[in-house]
Amino acid sequence: MGIEQNSNKDGGETSHVRNVWTASAHIITAVIGSGVLSLAWAIAQLGWIAGPVMMFLFSFVIYYTSCLLAECYRTGDPVTGKRNYTYMEAVQANLGGAKVKICGIVQYLNLFGVAIGYTIAASISMMAIKRSNCFHEEGGASPCHISSNSFMIIFGITEIFFSQIPDFDQIWWLSIVAAVMSFTYSTIGLALGIGKVIVTGQFRGSLTGISIGAVTQTQKIWRSFQALGDIAFAYSYSIILIEIQASSVLHIFPLLKTIYKQV
């Protein structure tokens, strides 16, 4: 994999094993998260006008945020300056004072919200699989009402267990596996969408999204806000960008700058 050991100790920090492939896998896993699976539903709720516009706006915000964070990875010189290994270190180095606590609170609230989002998404996915099995077994005769509470508890316990593993973020092959999974479920989703269009012979949806009548006005408002939340959830990877830079690759800063220029 071309792994190289960094012997440089910025600020007294111990060196990490870093390589471009691992960093790329981290980035792919973060960008193509499970949130992409809900984008089709979000567009259906918002329509073909508001939906793509909201996706563009959220993607621009995350792009701008990522550029700022990439610039903040080192203090002073972008190549030889002191590394900031965490988001809070970057805030301390660039802002300082009470802003560190304010940004820290916002970051942890954001992480808390994203963790809830992943827990809900995982439980809904597991519930959907169990309902699908139920429909096949019952032949459609049973409504197959299933609660997601037990799946949320299982997923939460699993998260707590894995969070206790020392240096879990340094397991390079884990991100490779996750990147493959990201491409896999994204490809499956795209293939299913194309297959549905081929079968029906038309693109579904409307310019304004699901109409009032098919749902109530309250449901329309609620689903629109939920769709915005789904889009925001799909574009949430910038909060871990500095950690990726610090733990994955020695030369990730030039890599990110190259990617941004190409985009």
Side-chain angles (χ1 to χ4, degrees):
M1 294 295 293
I3 298 177
E4 59 181 355
Q5 180 75 27
N6 174 28
S7 59
N8 183 26
K9 296 182 179 180
D10 294 322
E13 296 288 342
T14 57
S15 61
H16 297 284
V17 176
R18 304 175 177 95
N19 65 76
V20 174
W21 291 106
T22 305
S24 301
H26 278 318
I27 295 172
I28 292 171
T29 303
V31 174
I32 313 178
S34 60
V36 302
L37 299 177
S38 63
L39 291 179
W41 182 88
I43 298 299
Q45 307 309 309
L46 297 174
W48 288 110
I49 297 178
V53 168
M54 289 298 103
M55 286 185 61
F56 174 79
L57 290 177
F58 277 101
S59 63
F60 176 78
V61 170
I62 207 69
Y63 166 77
Y64 181 72
T65 304
S66 299
C67 287
L68 288 178
L69 289 174
E71 294 286 351
C72 293
Y73 176 54
R74 287 184 181 270
T75 301
D77 189 272
V79 177
T80 61
K82 178 184 177 296
R83 298 177 190 274
N84 297 308
Y85 289 95
T86 65
Y87 178 88
M88 294 302 295
E89 286 185 18
V91 175
Q92 179 68 56
N94 291 276
L95 298 177
K99 299 182 182 68
V100 178
K101 294 182 179 180
I102 295 174
C103 291
I105 292 173
V106 173
Q107 185 200 23
Y108 279 102
L109 287 175
N110 198 349
L111 288 170
F112 183 73
V114 171
I116 292 176
Y118 274 110
T119 302
I120 294 174
S123 64
I124 291 176
S125 298
M126 289 186 284
M127 184 179 64
I129 294 174
K130 191 166 184 178
R131 287 195 67 191
S132 177
N133 293 335
C134 176
F135 286 136
H136 285 295
E137 293 173 359
E138 301 293 335
S142 172
C144 294
H145 292 302
I146 299 172
S147 174
S148 63
N149 294 335
S150 60
F151 297 112
M152 290 185 187
I153 295 173
I154 293 172
F155 188 78
I157 293 175
T158 304
E159 285 182 304
I160 294 174
F161 171 76
F162 282 117
S163 67
Q164 304 307 308
I165 299 177
D167 297 325
F168 188 73
D169 60 318
Q170 301 299 321
I171 305 176
W172 65 268
W173 58 264
L174 191 62
S175 285
I176 301 294
V177 173
V180 173
M181 291 177 61
S182 296
F183 276 115
T184 300
Y185 62 64
S186 298
T187 303
I188 291 174
L190 178 63
L192 289 174
I194 294 175
K196 193 68 174 179
V197 171
I198 293 176
V199 171
T200 60
Q202 59 181 336
F203 288 96
R204 298 294 180 90
S206 64
L207 295 179
T208 57
I210 189 170
S211 59
I212 298 176
V215 296
T216 65
Q217 185 174 4
T218 302
Q219 289 176 324
K220 171 66 174 179
I221 296 174
W222 175 253
R223 289 190 177 193
S224 296
F225 280 116
Q226 187 177 353
L228 292 175
D230 288 341
I231 296 175
F233 178 59
Y235 290 94
S236 61
Y237 74 91
S238 69
I239 58 176
I240 59 173
L241 183 58
I242 286 184
E243 280 74 8
I244 291 176
Q245 289 177 262
S247 63
S248 300
V249 61
L250 176 61
H251 302 296
I252 191 174
F253 182 85
L255 172 66
L256 285 174
K257 295 293 286 185
T258 302
I259 293 175
Y260 291 145
K261 288 180 180 178
Q262 290 177 350
V263 174

